[in-house]
Amino acid sequence: MSADYISELKKQIKNAQNSIKKLKDEISKKNCNQTISQVTGDKPSINVRLEERRVLAGHAGKVNCIHWAGPFTDYSFQICSADDMGNIIIWDGLWGKQKKKISAAKTWLMCCTFETLENQFLACGGMEGKALIFKVNSKLGRREDQSKLATGPMAEFQGHSGNVTCCLFLDTKYLVSGSSDSSLMVWDLPEERSILTYNDHTNDVLSVAGYNENYNYVASGSSDTSARLWDIRIKHPLLRTFEGHDSGVNTVQFSSGRSQTIATGSEDSSIRLYDLRAYK
């Protein structure tokens, strides 16, 4: 390429940079509360309407928890829900039909969750202080008679001295439960016993979440206003304590994919984001 051609390209690049800077300056002078459409003067090209798809009616009490089954199996369309009368209902999320109702407890259930790798198992817990495990789907798929499943719990885990407020399957063999006794417990499903107990929180554990790239990492939120990150593989599992909220941390979630961010929601009306890479 000739020197004149290169010089002309550099001139065009410089002009483009100046135009971008001018547009940025114009936008910054406008009201920051305006929408993009108001700033640009354009009208929205798409009018989005969110409509109700199904109403799932079957509970007689307050619904405290719902959870979708995991993807890539015959049961990915299923939803489970738990109420304050001790009942769990498994729904067909496509057609809105009730597939199975389980009388899991005599009193308030506070959490329910599918095992999301194969969707065979369901766990729940509540005011009785127990984590209950049910087999609700067959590994063979729809060919097995589903009425033969979930006639009663396949395991009952007792160890907490308070309500079981949250639970999470790490895989098909391990479950984590959190309690109002301020503890987290890790359970071995085949052995039907507790293998780990964490007591670092100083008040009710309200939520628990697993990192979807590696379920050895677990996050928990608590009424003690903190969220904590754990690695269940190591001797001293508490990796980080995230502080900043003025009230209890009601919910905690990892971002999807490989992004290393934890979001926490609190009774102080705020949501906080923590970048795990900043704590290494």
Side-chain angles (χ1 to χ4, degrees):
M1 291 185 290
S2 67
D4 291 342
Y5 181 71
I6 293 174
S7 177
E8 179 62 24
L9 284 178
K10 289 181 178 180
K11 183 179 178 180
Q12 292 179 13
I13 292 171
K14 184 66 175 178
N15 290 338
Q17 290 173 338
N18 290 336
S19 297
I20 292 171
K21 185 178 184 302
K22 184 179 178 181
L23 287 171
K24 286 183 176 180
D25 291 340
E26 290 178 0
I27 292 172
S28 65
K29 292 177 183 178
K30 293 182 178 288
N31 188 340
C32 292
N33 292 325
Q34 289 180 311
T35 65
I36 293 175
S37 297
Q38 290 170 331
V39 171
T40 61
D42 295 333
K43 294 182 178 180
S45 58
I46 300 176
N47 184 19
V48 178
R49 291 186 60 191
L50 300 179
E51 296 184 355
E52 183 180 279
R53 182 177 177 182
R54 295 279 189 274
V55 176
L56 308 183
H59 285 287
K62 174 181 174 183
V63 177
N64 294 320
C65 183
I66 57 174
H67 190 236
W68 279 98
F72 313 125
T73 74
D74 288 339
Y75 311 110
S76 299
F77 56 87
Q78 290 184 358
I79 307 169
C80 67
S81 56
D83 66 29
D84 63 356
M85 300 183 72
N87 297 312
I88 290 176
I89 297 180
I90 300 173
W91 308 87
D92 183 322
L94 290 179
W95 302 104
K97 295 181 179 180
Q98 180 176 316
K99 294 183 67 66
K100 185 179 292 290
K101 187 172 184 177
I102 304 170
S103 296
K106 296 179 180 179
T107 185
W108 197 305
L109 288 175
M110 305 177 77
C111 58
C112 63
T113 184
F114 278 109
E115 171 274 303
T116 57
L117 295 178
E118 298 177 354
N119 295 319
Q120 290 189 74
F121 306 117
L122 181 148
C124 66
M127 295 184 69
E128 292 183 349
K130 298 184 290 185
L132 305 175
I133 311 296
F134 295 87
K135 185 172 183 180
V136 294
N137 290 312
S138 167
K139 190 174 181 179
L140 300 176
R142 295 173 182 162
R143 293 189 293 271
E144 184 171 329
D145 184 359
Q146 299 297 296
S147 64
K148 297 179 181 179
L149 302 175
T151 55
M154 58 177 285
E156 295 187 16
F157 295 142
Q158 300 187 59
H160 290 294
S161 59
N163 305 331
V164 174
T165 55
C166 52
C167 56
L168 168 76
F169 282 99
L170 301 181
D171 53 25
T172 59
K173 295 182 178 180
Y174 299 104
L175 177 83
V176 176
S177 60
S179 171
S180 60
D181 65 8
S182 77
S183 72
L184 287 162
M185 299 186 75
V186 181
W187 306 89
D188 184 316
L189 272 65
E191 297 291 331
E192 296 189 16
R193 64 185 180 91
S194 170
I195 56 174
L196 296 167
T197 301
Y198 306 141
N199 294 299
D200 295 78
H201 281 295
T202 58
N203 212 325
D204 300 25
V205 176
L206 301 176
S207 60
V208 64
Y211 182 39
N212 59 1
E213 290 292 324
N214 186 342
Y215 266 0
N216 291 308
Y217 295 107
V218 175
S220 58
S222 170
S223 291
D224 64 12
T225 75
S226 75
R228 299 176 190 248
L229 178 65
W230 315 81
D231 185 340
I232 67 169
R233 299 168 296 181
I234 60 180
K235 184 176 180 180
H236 302 289
L238 180 59
L239 300 179
R240 296 289 181 269
T241 298
F242 304 105
E243 298 176 322
H245 285 292
D246 297 324
S247 299
V249 178
N250 290 331
T251 183
V252 58
Q253 286 292 331
F254 286 91
S255 56
S256 60
R258 296 180 180 273
S259 177
Q260 297 181 9
T261 304
I262 288 179
T264 58
S266 169
E267 291 180 15
D268 64 11
S269 304
S270 72
I271 296 170
R272 292 176 180 266
L273 303 179
Y274 299 93
D275 188 336
L276 302 183
R277 294 168 296 183
Y279 292 87
K280 290 183 178 180

